[in-house]
Amino acid sequence: QVQVVESGGGLVQAGGSLRLSCGASGRSFSGYAVGWFRQAPGKQREFVARIIWSSGITYYQNAVKGRFTISRDSAKNTVNLQMNSLKPEDTAVYYCAADPRGLGNMYFYWGQGTQVTVSP
């Protein structure tokens, strides 16, 4: 069983930056796809970005392209989400999820989420 744990959320002013980190206990992310999702109050959870661990190929939703960067750290077995030029509409609970098939189209393991709040 893989446990996914997020860290790095917090409060930041618009235009600022935050870095989220996702780790897995129990095994390596090797062979997995790892994605970040977010859910704002009163809204459905939405996809933010994903990375295929083996190839490093990344994919982003249009609203975050050019501002967010997803990356992997093999030494630490973590997937990071660097968020720059943050906007109030980025405020949400951010979730990390892992797909052991390495495809990134269905996620089996989810973290508890970390709150990101961007003030105007």
Side-chain angles (χ1 to χ4, degrees):
Q1 182 72 17
V2 176
Q3 284 188 313
V4 176
V5 181
E6 307 96 339
S7 62
L11 172 65
V12 65
Q13 287 188 326
S17 299
L18 280 175
R19 182 181 176 88
L20 305 183
S21 184
C22 174
S25 63
R27 66 147 293 156
S28 166
F29 276 140
S30 178
Y32 281 51
V34 179
W36 284 96
F37 295 77
R38 65 187 182 186
Q39 186 167 19
K43 295 187 177 181
Q44 289 189 332
R45 186 160 56 190
E46 64 175 2
F47 167 81
V48 175
R50 71 163 179 259
I51 186 166
I52 308 300
W53 187 274
S54 58
S55 65
I57 294 175
T58 59
Y59 186 76
Y60 300 88
Q61 70 145 284
N62 287 338
V64 307
K65 280 182 182 177
R67 300 188 298 123
F68 291 11
T69 302
I70 189 170
S71 63
R72 68 188 191 284
D73 185 328
S74 299
K76 296 181 179 180
N77 192 42
T78 58
V79 170
N80 303 308
L81 185 68
Q82 178 67 42
M83 305 185 294
N84 299 328
S85 302
L86 283 161
K87 305 175 181 180
E89 51 264 43
D90 294 317
T91 294
V93 177
Y94 282 70
Y95 298 90
C96 178
D99 173 7
R101 304 166 305 151
L103 300 177
N105 57 2
M106 185 182 298
Y107 293 85
F108 292 80
Y109 305 109
W110 291 81
Q112 294 297 308
T114 184
Q115 178 70 46
V116 171
T117 304
V118 184
S119 62

